[in-house]
Amino acid sequence: SLPAKLINGGIAGLIGVTCVFPIDLAKTRLQNQQNGQRMYTSLSDCLIKTIRSEGYFGMYRGAAVNLTLVTPEKAIKLAANDFFRHHLSKDGKKLTLLREMLAGCGAGTCQVIVTTPMEMLKIQLQDAGRIAAQRKLMAAQARISSPAAAAAAAEPAVERRPTATQITRELLRSKGIAGLYKGLGATLLRDVPFSIVYFPLFANLNKLGQKDPSVKAPFYVSFLSGCVAGSTAAVAVNPCDVIKTRLQSLQRGVNEDTYSGILDCTKKIWQREGPTAFFKGAYCRALVIAPLFGIAQVVYFVGIAEFLLDMLPKRQA
C-alpha cells in the first residue's frame, strides 16, 4: 500500500542518513574547495580537522535539515519509482530496460521537489565550518606578517554561524520561494541521470538473488545490490554533483570563484581547476550513497512498515 511504501522510504532514509552523514559533510567541503586556500587533503584529513575545530557533533552540522526532509524525499523517490514501474508494465510482464530507465527518470524528477531545498540548506550548514576555518587560518598568517592585517582578518572569525531557520527566513525574505530552489536545474541534472542508472541496475542485480520470481530476494542481496547500484550511479553523476554543490553555496572562501549558472560554473571549473575537479569527492559520495541506498533498499524491500501494521491488530486483539 502507498502508506506502507511512504513509511518504509522514510525509515530507510532516517537510518541511512544517520550512518553516513559525516562522510557527506566531508564530500561537500572537499567539492567546494577551489585552487585558492585548501583546507583539507582527503576524507580522513577533513573529518579529523572537523572534530578538532568543531567537536564530534561538528560532523553532523546540517544533519537536522537532512533528517527532517529525507523522510519525504526518500519516500517520494522509492514510491514514485514503484508507481511508474507499475504503470509502465504491461499485464504484469517484465519491464524492458528502456521502461525501467523511464521509471527511474520519473522518480528522479519527482524527488527534486524536496531534494533541492534540503540540499540548499544542508550545504550552507556543512560548508560554514570550512569557511570559518579558512578565515582563522588567514588571520593566523596575517598575525605573523602584519599586526594591522591580523586585526582586519580576525574580524570575520567572530561571526556566528547561521541556522537553517535563519537561512530559510533570509532567502524567503530576499528572493521568495525561488531562493530555496537555487540550483534546481543542476539538481535535476544530477538526480534524473542518477535514478536512470540506479533503479534499473538495482532491479536487475536484485533479481539475480531471487530463486523464485514470486519470492523476495534475501535481505543481504538487496543490501549488496543497493550498495553496488548506488555507488556506480553516484560516481557516474559526480560531475553534476560538483556543479550543483558550487551553485548552491551562498558563502565563498577567500579568492574563490562565483558562478552565474551551470555553463559558467562548468567552464570556470574546467579552465581553472582542470577536468579532474569534476570528480572531487567522488569516493566520498560513493561511500555515502552505497550504504545509504543499501540500507534503504533492505528496509524498503523487507517491509518494516508492513510488519508493524500487521502486528498492530494482533496486539489489540
Side-chain angles (χ1 to χ4, degrees), residues 57-75:
F57 291 105
M59 295 190 298
Y60 282 89
R61 280 193 60 82
V65 174
N66 237 33
L67 290 172
T68 302
L69 295 178
V70 75
T71 298
E73 188 225 21
K74 285 290 176 287

Side-chain angles (χ1 to χ4, degrees), residues 116-135:
T116 305
M118 179 183 76
E119 293 270 313
M120 176 74 177
L121 295 172
K122 182 193 73 170
I123 285 170
Q124 313 317 313
L125 298 171
Q126 286 182 329
D127 206 38
R130 180 186 71 89
I131 295 172
Q134 189 187 78
R135 287 172 176 168

Side-chain angles (χ1 to χ4, degrees), residues 253-314:
V254 179
N255 300 322
E256 291 184 344
D257 292 326
T258 56
Y259 311 103
S260 60
I262 295 173
L263 292 177
D264 180 57
C265 182
T266 304
K267 182 180 177 182
K268 286 180 178 177
I269 292 174
W270 183 278
Q271 290 178 341
R272 300 176 188 181
E273 301 175 60
T276 56
F278 289 105
F279 287 92
K280 282 183 177 181
Y283 66 97
C284 294
R285 184 162 162 74
L287 288 174
V288 168
I289 297 297
L292 180 60
F293 277 83
I295 292 167
Q297 292 294 179
V298 167
V299 173
Y300 195 67
F301 273 80
V302 167
I304 289 178
E306 289 90 337
F307 175 76
L308 294 174
L309 292 171
D310 287 343
M311 289 295 292
L312 188 59
K314 293 178 183 178

Side-chain angles (χ1 to χ4, degrees), residues 225-236:
S225 298
C227 288
V228 173
S231 57
T232 301
V235 174

Side-chain angles (χ1 to χ4, degrees), residues 84 88 97-107 196 200:
F84 287 116
L88 286 169
L97 179 60
L98 178 60
R99 288 178 180 269
E100 287 183 329
M101 293 172 72
L102 286 173
C105 179
I196 289 173

Side-chain angles (χ1 to χ4, degrees), residues 205-272:
L205 289 174
N206 198 55
K207 284 176 185 175
L208 296 176
Q210 290 179 280
K211 295 180 180 179
D212 188 322
S214 62
V215 180
K216 289 181 180 180
F219 78 92
Y220 62 87
V221 172
S222 293
F223 176 76
L224 291 175
S225 298
C227 288
V228 173
S231 57
T232 301
V235 174
V237 302
N238 196 75
C240 300
D241 188 58
V242 172
I243 294 168
K244 183 199 73 67
T245 301
R246 296 280 183 95
L247 288 175
Q248 289 188 319
S249 298
L250 299 176
Q251 299 293 323
R252 303 288 176 187
V254 179
N255 300 322
E256 291 184 344
D257 292 326
T258 56
Y259 311 103
S260 60
I262 295 173
L263 292 177
D264 180 57
C265 182
T266 304
K267 182 180 177 182
K268 286 180 178 177
I269 292 174
W270 183 278
Q271 290 178 341
R272 300 176 188 181

